[in-house]
Amino acid sequence: MDRVRLGVLGAGNIAAMNVRGYLEDPRCDVVAVCDTDEEIGRQAVKEWHAQTYYADLSDMLADDSIDAVEVLTPTHLHHDHVIAALEAGKHVSVQKPVANSVEDALEMQAVAERTGMTLRISECFVHYPPLELAKRLVADGAIGKPTSLRIRTLVGQTDSPFQAALRPEGYGWRLDKRSPGGHLFDDMVHKYAMALWLLDLDITSVQAVVRRRDLFFEPCAVIFEYEDPEVLGMMEVQYSPSFYMRSKYYGADEFFEITGDEGQIWVTRATGELLDLAPVMLFTGTPHERKTTEFTDIDADWGTGFVRSSQHFVDALLHGTAAAMTAAEATDVLRLCFGVYQAAQLGTAVDPRTVTGTVSPPGWGEW
Ligand SMILES: NC(=O)c1ccc[n+]([C@@H]2O[C@H](COP(=O)([O-])OP(=O)(O)OC[C@H]3O[C@@H](n4cnc5c(N)ncnc54)[C@H](O)[C@@H]3O)[C@@H](O)[C@H]2O)c1
């Protein structure tokens, strides 16, 4: 294959963010769009200069000119859509969360292995430059031996044009029984991915307190124990519904703090732009020198993670390299998320690696 001919399945709220990377990549042609909503689908064909609109997935999959499919449909449809595309001989990139149950995710992986097609899960945080830099600094020993990871999510409001343009219909499937955990199940999957990816260590135990709020059920506070007993992780979600935050995207922001025995790294932003700080900061100190390094010359636009994620998929297909995230990695992320819900329900520590099925936070569905 010397270029990728791509079909896009689902042209809803997040599609433009994902497709931008393909449109900007000279090695890729966006040739078709499939969406059951004809107006949305045809509008996307026009905007992306694609050739064909399909109302039905099976018709798009019968198109032999398409090599790969970008799956951007609601999460509860990922299992069926991904398997149909793989069985039709297409390579697949699918948005996080990979699926709504561990078994569905494992089946998707098994079909990819049997058919020999590439299946990758698009996780934009893995391709966000400040987080990539932080991971590289840790791996290069910039803070010595890691001892702790802290991830904080602050959810508020914003008046960004992006947020104002979101269609409310795109939120229905997140907030009812088609989702195991609502709005922040959808969002927090990014942070569970970071808890595993930044330190490249397995998590062996989670403890959690989950509170119900008007918008969502999520961990207010989680403690992770890693396979290395000297490393601990903490995750918090804070909700300030009347707090308007600076953001080009959603009214939310994330903060990451990685501590080692020789220093500390901060990633001071992701989705939003709350703080007036360098996107990445490194603090080190010896008896002779206390040093703060500010990494300002770095693309910290959250949208860049989407662009790079799409281009990474093209790279993987053209060069036959592994595409991040793999289905196995994304299934571990799902297990961690469900492990947190299970720990909150049981009031005891849970090994996320043992989690099966689908788990919801305490009280989910009682409305
Ligand atoms: N990386 C991120 O930060 C991020 C952000 C938002 C959403 N997402 C993920 O992207 C996916 C899509 O989210 P969204 O917000 O764009 O949802 P959405 O509901 O706005 O869009 C989904 C689109 O799929 C279409 N569709 C539904 N069923 C279909 C079918 N059977 N065949 C063809 N088209 C169909 C709908 O008409 C709609 O246009 C979800 O998995 C979500 O979790 C990721």
Side-chain angles (χ1 to χ4, degrees):
M1 199 191 302
D2 58 358
R3 46 192 305 109
V4 174
R5 291 175 57 83
L6 188 83
V8 177
L9 175 63
N13 278 331
I14 207 63
M17 298 276 288
N18 286 278
V19 172
R20 193 181 129 204
Y22 295 117
L23 293 173
E24 289 176 4
D25 192 322
R27 305 162 304 165
C28 180
D29 301 312
V30 176
V31 294
V33 178
C34 172
D35 198 303
T36 42
D37 184 316
E38 183 167 354
E39 196 184 330
I40 290 177
R42 288 201 184 277
Q43 179 63 22
V45 165
K46 204 164 126 195
E47 276 173 26
W48 302 337
H49 305 289
Q51 287 145 24
T52 317
Y53 162 70
Y54 291 105
D56 193 279
L57 174 59
S58 54
D59 292 334
M60 185 164 84
L61 295 180
D63 182 340
D64 288 337
S65 73
I66 292 174
D67 306 307
V69 176
E70 173 74 26
V71 176
L72 298 171
T73 45
T75 306
H76 58 281
L77 302 175
H78 287 180
H79 168 266
D80 289 1
H81 288 169
V82 165
I83 288 179
L86 291 169
E87 294 283 12
K90 312 296 185 195
H91 301 294
V92 175
S93 165
V94 59
Q95 267 294 311
K96 58 39 70 182
V98 54
N100 276 353
S101 87
V102 172
E103 284 66 26
D104 280 1
L106 290 173
E107 196 186 341
M108 291 153 75
Q109 181 182 353
V111 173
E113 284 165 4
R114 173 169 55 72
T115 56
M117 306 312 295
T118 294
L119 168 60
R120 82 81 182 241
I121 288 63
S122 183
E123 170 48 77
C124 58
F125 276 54
V126 162
H127 303 280
Y128 180 55
L131 287 163
E132 277 188 328
L133 173 60
K135 182 176 167 73
R136 204 161 54 242
L137 288 169
V138 172
D140 290 349
I143 53 167
K145 183 186 178 311
T147 53
S148 126
L149 170 64
R150 186 168 168 223
I151 302 177
R152 208 154 67 71
T153 300
L154 176 59
V155 181
Q157 296 287 342
T158 194
D159 45 14
S160 69
F162 169 87
Q163 174 96 12
L166 296 175
R167 288 177 316 109
E169 308 83 68
Y171 281 80
W173 57 265
R174 284 173 167 89
L175 299 175
D176 62 24
K177 287 185 181 165
R178 287 173 288 181
S179 167
H183 174 61
L184 281 192
F185 160 68
D186 202 59
D187 176 51
M188 287 305 290
V189 169
H190 295 297
K191 297 3 122 54
Y192 295 119
M194 290 303 96
L196 289 166
W197 178 80
L198 276 168
L199 298 181
D200 217 1
L201 290 170
D202 258 5
I203 291 174
T204 56
S205 166
V206 294
Q207 298 170 57
V209 176
V210 173
R211 294 274 187 260
R212 180 177 177 162
R213 297 294 306 266
D214 45 349
L215 177 63
F216 54 80
F217 296 74
E218 262 307 318
C220 289
V222 179
I223 299 172
F224 301 125
E225 289 180 81
Y226 284 87
E227 59 182 310
D228 178 340
E230 291 176 7
V231 186
L232 270 186
M234 282 142 284
M235 189 159 93
E236 299 153 56
V237 179
Q238 285 124 11
Y239 184 38
S240 305
S242 303
F243 179 20
Y244 273 71
M245 299 163 61
R246 185 170 50 180
S247 173
K248 268 174 74 182
Y249 302 101
Y250 302 106
D253 212 349
E254 293 85 6
F255 315 97
F256 301 80
E257 185 178 285
I258 311 168
T259 308
D261 54 13
E262 294 172 17
Q264 192 169 78
I265 296 164
W266 287 357
V267 177
T268 63
R269 55 167 292 179
T271 307
E273 299 172 35
L274 181 70
L275 303 177
D276 292 308
L277 291 172
V280 182
M281 301 176 78
L282 169 65
F283 307 92
T284 49
T286 66
H288 314 291
E289 189 188 19
R290 281 161 212 191
K291 198 170 156 191
T292 299
T293 311
E294 299 191 5
F295 296 89
T296 48
D297 191 16
I298 182 169
D299 183 349
D301 185 329
W302 185 63
T304 299
F306 287 84
V307 171
R308 297 184 71 244
S309 180
S310 296
Q311 296 178 346
H312 172 82
F313 182 56
V314 174
D315 267 342
L317 294 186
L318 295 183
H319 300 130
T321 48
M325 306 181 70
T326 65
E329 289 165 339
T331 307
D332 287 343
V333 171
L334 205 56
R335 283 195 176 103
L336 179 57
C337 176
F338 291 155
V340 166
Y341 295 157
Q342 202 166 71
Q345 281 185 0
L346 299 173
T348 183
V350 165
D351 181 342
R353 298 166 302 176
T354 64
V355 172
T356 57
T358 304
V359 187
S360 291
W364 180 246
E366 292 168 12
W367 57 76

